[in-house]
């Protein structure tokens, strides 16, 4: 699946954010988190829903989710700085 975010393309199959000139690779979990968040724009997504989608059949702590969201934010800031 490919999604356009302003001037940035997110390719979920390749787990890559790109603006045509530069790209940021995401790990599997970060890509899954971004995929579900983009599929539910303007909706509240529960922590448990995020965990189930990104870490299927694995018990995950809130700390792991927080760390993955922080890494995802860092990748997004690369393209969407202020």
């Amino acid at each position: 699946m490919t999604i356009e975010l302003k001037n940035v393309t997110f390719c979920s199959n390749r787990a890559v954010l790109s603006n045509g000139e530069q790209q940021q690779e995401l790990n599997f979990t970060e890509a899954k988190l971004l995929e579900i968040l983009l599929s539910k724009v303007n909706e509240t997504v529960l922590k448990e829903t995020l965990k189930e989608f990104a870490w299927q059949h694995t018990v995950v702590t809130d700390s792991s989710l927080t760390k993955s969201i922080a890494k995802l934010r860092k990748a997004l800031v690369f393209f969407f700085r202020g």
Side-chain angles (χ1 to χ4, degrees):
M1 169 173 71
T2 301
I3 300 171
E4 294 288 328
L5 307 162
K6 294 190 179 185
N7 64 332
V8 177
T9 301
F10 169 56
C11 179
S12 63
N13 296 338
R14 293 182 27 234
V16 171
L17 288 165
S18 173
N19 67 359
E21 297 175 12
Q22 299 174 311
Q23 68 178 29
Q24 288 281 307
E25 293 183 12
L26 305 176
N27 69 28
F28 176 82
T29 303
E30 294 157 8
K32 294 299 280 183
L33 289 169
L34 185 55
E35 183 180 336
I36 192 169
L37 291 170
L38 291 174
S39 73
K40 299 190 178 291
V41 173
N42 297 322
E43 294 180 37
T44 301
V45 184
L46 299 174
K47 283 185 195 180
E48 292 307 314
T49 303
L50 294 172
K51 290 178 188 179
E52 289 170 13
F53 189 81
W55 288 274
Q56 301 168 357
H57 311 293
T58 303
V59 176
V60 179
T61 64
D62 285 353
S63 176
S64 293
L65 175 61
T66 300
K67 287 177 186 175
S68 291
I69 292 289
K71 289 179 184 178
L72 178 57
R73 284 181 177 162
K74 186 175 180 180
L76 291 168
V77 164
F78 182 81
F79 295 105
F80 300 104
R81 291 170 241 204

